Amino acid sequence: MSYQVLARKWRPRSFREMVGQTHVLKALINALDNQRLHHAYLFTGTRGVGKTTIARIIAKCVNCETGITSTPCGTCSVCREIDEGRFVDLIEIDAASRTKVEDTRELLDNVQYAPSRGRFKVYLIDEVHMLSSHSFNALLKTLEEPPPYVKFILATTDPQKLPATILSRCLQFSLKNMTPERVVEHLSHVLGAENVPFEDDALWLLGRAADGSMRDAMSLTDQAIAFGEGKVLAADVRAMLGSLDHGQVYGVLQALLEGDARALLEAVRQLAEQGPDWNGVLAEMLNVLHRVAIAQALPEAVDNGQGDRDRVLALAGSLPAEDVQFYYQMGLIGRRDLPLAPDLRGGFEMVLLRMLAFRPADSADAPRQLLKTPGINQATVDSTRTVAAVAPVAAPLPVAAPAPSVTPVVAPAPVVAAPAVEAVDLPWNEPAAPTPVAEPVPVPQPAPAPILEVVAEQPEPAPIAMPTPASPVPDAPQQPVSAPADEASYSPAGMERDDEPPLDDDYYDVDIDSANYGYLDELASETVAEPVVEQAPEPASQPATGLALQWLELFPKLPISGMTGSIAANCSLIAVEGDHWLLHLDPAHSALFNATQQRRLNEALNQCLGRTLTLSIELIRPEQETPAQAASRKRADRQREAEESIHADPFIQQMMKQFGAIIRDDTIEPVDALASQSE
């Protein structure tokens, strides 16, 4: 007998053998036990998480000879035939290879025939998102109302490509990705049953390489058994996957911790001998730093899946938390910029050297000396004098006459004391005896200038009178007068022109589409105490039925407009007792409602129906859909259909693929909206 791969040999044959997906299995088991079977199921999720497996188990559950049950026997002829893939009433269809509408019509022609062997005829359509739009349209009616002996099970890895009409006819279940812990647990069980020696570290490598897919994990395990000559060892799996040895990652991090550039470059040289993927090396470093950060926050949360828990805890105790966050952020940016480097190894080395050069300043091992002597202009600063920082001057102020040996100092209105900088001895200056510095003459402080409030977007601002100095000094050096606050060149203190944020050239003023009730002209003629802003109505909690639906049909026929039309559009018919009608009006529109509007609406009803009615209106939010809400919903539907049409257009998709074009949804308008604007 030929060898059967682990993924097929260990495919679950009942719900109790399934690994994970508890949220899906619970719903299916309860539905089968209570005989509440839906006619169409949709299973979504990534590859290898159990979509087809669950579909085949459902086919066994509904066709087992013991009856409809969540625990099929697995021994009857039906269960065996389904497991062997030869049950005549389980029709498995690959939608990726049968996308044409002719294939779908051929399938539907056989739906009318009763099952040959089983209780139900089950159609399993895999990768259903590959069907064409015409195939979906041909499938709609049968999918909505199939014969009682037909069950549809759809499976897809891309549910976003399914039309909403298909989604609304199916009971949808989203299958989750498999976590590495669950994959390792299942692989331990399988390898133990297969009598294959293994190491836990090797299973963790396989669990992470599977990336959430149990089928991929089983396939990689098959490959690892063959690579390791019947054993699954960590070294073999690492060599097979091309993974990096974590010991070398810890060597790099230790060199960073010690600030040793020589050891850092030596660790990179040892890595280069293995020809690694440098982007993957950075990813491994980020994984270790992530675990170190977890160890610093919650040590007991660190797992020993890679057998390095002690090393992680040791690194967490010696590496400062701010360094961990800094290295992690640098690594993320380095992964982004690594493809731009002329040489990948050189780019990786630059990332590490950047981590070493820009480590946090408050670290104990951080360099304290400046890289070079700061350049200071000798024309304005004496090297033997203390250099003091002066806050920016907001406005010119009067100053006293300077002392003979003291340079004039400008006194700002609010003086902010800055820490003094030690004297700097420049190499080209000869040492000189310290010169005594004369005490500066006290500067009289004038009264603080009034604070001027800057008002944005004033059409013609009044001229602002500049404050006059209290005691001007003749022949005193004057500083240039700053520009008025209302000029375009005004910028806050401390902000240069280059620091101003750029204008948003991509801003568009989007007009709000309002319901067309024809009452804008009447609004202009009527006098209102305060301007009323029409807001988009909130969606109703329930669709309109009964009297509310009749009101939706009657509203367009009423000869009303203006405020009366707005009130009627936000009402719902609640009760009809003979010639007495009761309407509920949304309280949000009560500002438009008064006795005059109720009288006009009553007269319009009498004129439309040709009889005399008595109308009552109560300020209660309608529970069912009003005409305004219906119009808003229709506009939203048209907008959504327009956006979907643009996104699905093949020419636009080609432009996006070839030229990197993007679609701005806020610029898309339905055709009928554009037509109404042009009129």
Side-chain angles (χ1 to χ4, degrees):
M1 182 178 179
S2 61
Y3 174 74
Q4 191 174 19
V5 297
L6 295 178
R8 296 185 59 186
K9 182 178 180 180
W10 287 90
R11 182 192 291 270
R13 291 177 171 81
S14 63
F15 288 137
R16 64 176 176 272
E17 297 179 5
M18 287 289 299
V19 179
Q21 316 302 347
T22 308
H23 63 294
V24 175
L25 301 182
K26 181 179 179 180
L28 294 176
I29 290 173
N30 292 337
L32 289 166
D33 291 341
N34 297 323
Q35 306 294 316
R36 298 180 64 88
L37 300 178
H38 203 271
H39 61 271
Y41 294 90
L42 173 63
F43 296 108
T44 64
T46 187
R47 74 276 178 270
V49 293
K51 300 184 296 295
T52 307
T53 299
I54 293 179
R56 292 179 180 176
I57 295 176
I58 292 177
K60 286 200 296 185
C61 291
V62 299
N63 287 309
C64 182
E65 294 180 358
T66 60
I68 300 177
T69 176
S70 62
T71 56
C73 65
T75 58
C76 65
S77 60
V78 173
C79 293
R80 291 198 309 271
E81 290 176 7
I82 293 177
D83 290 337
E84 296 170 2
R86 55 186 182 86
F87 186 59
V88 67
D89 290 326
L90 175 59
I91 300 97
E92 297 191 21
I93 302 165
D94 180 18
S97 59
R98 303 187 64 181
T99 61
K100 297 181 179 179
V101 66
E102 292 80 6
D103 299 328
T104 305
R105 289 172 180 169
E106 180 182 353
L107 180 149
L108 297 178
D109 289 341
N110 297 325
V111 171
Q112 57 184 330
Y113 301 110
S116 303
R117 289 282 313 281
R119 194 175 294 107
F120 292 94
K121 181 183 289 187
V122 181
Y123 287 89
L124 172 55
I125 306 178
D126 201 3
E127 299 300 335
V128 68
H129 66 273
M130 299 295 292
L131 292 179
S132 64
S133 58
H134 296 292
S135 298
F136 280 127
N137 294 334
L139 189 63
L140 285 180
K141 190 60 180 177
T142 305
L143 189 63
E144 181 179 9
E145 297 178 356
Y149 48 82
V150 171
K151 301 294 180 185
F152 283 98
I153 302 179
L154 314 181
T156 179
T157 56
D158 196 358
Q160 289 79 11
K161 293 184 179 180
L162 296 182
T165 51
I166 294 292
L167 296 175
S168 64
R169 288 165 167 81
C170 300
L171 203 61
Q172 183 173 351
F173 294 96
S174 297
L175 278 67
K176 300 178 181 178
N177 287 0
M178 299 293 176
T179 61
E181 293 80 6
R182 194 177 297 277
V183 172
V184 169
E185 179 183 357
H186 185 62
L187 290 181
S188 301
H189 169 69
V190 171
L191 294 178
E194 293 285 337
N195 295 321
V196 176
F198 64 90
E199 294 180 351
D200 291 338
D201 293 351
L203 299 189
W204 280 99
L205 290 172
L206 294 173
R208 285 190 298 272
D211 194 19
S213 172
M214 186 63 74
R215 183 175 60 226
D216 289 2
M218 302 293 280
S219 300
L220 289 173
T221 304
D222 261 326
Q223 184 179 354
I225 294 173
F227 188 89
E229 298 180 356
K231 299 179 181 179
V232 181
L233 304 179
D236 294 337
V237 173
R238 190 175 291 112
M240 181 188 75
L241 298 176
S243 302
L244 184 68
D245 186 4
H246 278 270
Q248 295 177 316
V249 174
Y250 286 107
V252 174
L253 293 177
Q254 187 65 30
L256 286 175
L257 174 62
E258 298 173 356
D260 190 350
R262 183 183 299 275
L264 193 64
L265 295 179
E266 178 62 22
V268 174
R269 186 191 64 79
Q270 294 177 2
L271 283 172
E273 293 177 355
Q274 301 180 6
D277 176 17
W278 297 106
N279 196 0
V281 176
L282 270 180
E284 290 294 335
M285 288 184 58
L286 294 179
N287 289 333
V288 174
L289 290 172
H290 168 246
R291 300 180 66 204
V292 170
I294 292 178
Q296 291 177 342
L298 192 63
E300 58 270 18
V302 181
D303 61 78
N304 196 29
Q306 301 176 10
D308 58 350
R309 186 175 187 272
D310 294 337
R311 303 185 69 173
V312 170
L313 294 177
L315 195 59
S318 58
L319 194 62
E322 59 270 20
D323 285 12
V324 174
Q325 299 297 329
F326 171 74
Y327 293 154
Y328 190 88
Q329 188 66 24
M330 277 288 192
L332 287 179
I333 298 175
R335 290 195 68 190
R336 181 195 66 187
D337 298 341
L338 194 60
L340 303 178
D343 177 60
L344 292 181
R345 175 180 173 178
F348 178 77
E349 290 178 345
M350 285 300 298
V351 173
L352 297 182
L353 293 176
R354 195 179 306 132
M355 292 179 180
L356 189 63
F358 294 96
R359 53 193 311 177
D362 56 350
S363 175
D365 298 330
R368 298 298 182 183
Q369 296 181 356
L370 297 175
L371 298 180
K372 63 179 181 179
T373 304
I376 300 178
N377 189 355
Q378 289 300 304
T380 57
V381 179
D382 188 0
S383 64
T384 61
R385 241 179 47 272
T386 300
V387 182
V390 181
V393 180
L397 293 175
V399 298
S405 60
V406 179
T407 304
V409 179
V410 178
V415 178
V416 181
V421 182
E422 296 182 0
V424 180
D425 294 332
L426 301 180
W428 55 80
N429 289 333
E430 297 181 357
T435 304
V437 181
E439 294 292 331
V441 178
V443 180
Q445 299 291 339
I451 300 175
L452 304 179
E453 181 179 1
V454 181
V455 181
E457 299 183 1
Q458 290 291 341
E460 294 181 1
I464 301 176
M466 299 300 296
T468 305
S471 57
V473 180
D475 300 332
Q478 299 292 332
Q479 296 190 0
V481 179
S482 60
D486 56 349
E487 291 186 4
S489 62
Y490 171 79
S491 62
M495 176 183 290
E496 299 294 338
R497 293 288 298 173
D498 294 339
D499 296 334
E500 296 180 1
L503 296 177
D504 189 1
D505 296 333
D506 294 336
Y507 174 78
Y508 289 89
D509 189 9
V510 183
D511 295 332
I512 300 178
D513 187 15
S514 59
N516 184 15
Y517 299 127
Y519 60 88
L520 296 179
D521 296 338
E522 186 173 349
L523 280 175
S525 61
E526 296 185 10
T527 302
V528 184
E530 295 181 0
V532 179
V533 180
E534 281 291 325
Q535 300 180 354
E538 299 181 357
S541 58
Q542 299 178 3
T545 59
L547 296 176
L549 182 59
Q550 296 179 13
W551 180 255
L552 289 180
E553 299 172 354
L554 178 62
F555 170 75
K557 304 176 183 178
L558 297 178
I560 53 176
S561 61
M563 292 186 181
T564 308
S566 178
I567 292 173
N570 291 279
C571 286
S572 180
L573 183 58
I574 302 301
V576 174
E577 297 180 358
D579 291 338
H580 180 75
W581 286 24
L582 174 62
L583 298 179
H584 280 180
L585 173 63
D586 191 347
H589 301 271
S590 59
L592 305 177
F593 178 68
N594 52 36
T596 302
Q597 304 301 333
Q598 181 173 348
R599 176 179 52 80
R600 292 180 180 178
L601 181 56
N602 201 345
E603 293 174 356
L605 281 173
N606 296 341
Q607 179 181 351
C608 180
L609 300 178
R611 56 194 180 98
T612 303
L613 301 176
T614 303
L615 184 65
S616 298
I617 300 179
E618 296 179 358
L619 294 178
I620 300 176
R621 189 176 184 276
E623 296 181 355
Q624 300 190 22
E625 196 175 51
T626 63
Q629 293 171 341
S632 178
R633 174 178 53 79
K634 292 178 180 178
R635 287 195 307 273
D637 292 342
R638 291 196 302 271
Q639 180 68 27
R640 184 180 64 256
E641 293 173 358
E643 294 177 2
E644 293 176 354
S645 175
I646 291 296
H647 283 277
D649 189 272
F651 296 100
I652 294 180
Q653 291 180 356
Q654 185 178 4
M655 293 176 64
M656 294 172 63
K657 182 177 180 181
Q658 295 184 357
F659 304 105
I662 59 174
I663 300 176
R664 296 186 61 117
D665 292 336
D666 54 348
T667 62
I668 299 175
E669 294 187 22
V671 177
D672 51 354
L674 295 175
S676 61
Q677 291 179 5
S678 62
E679 293 176 359

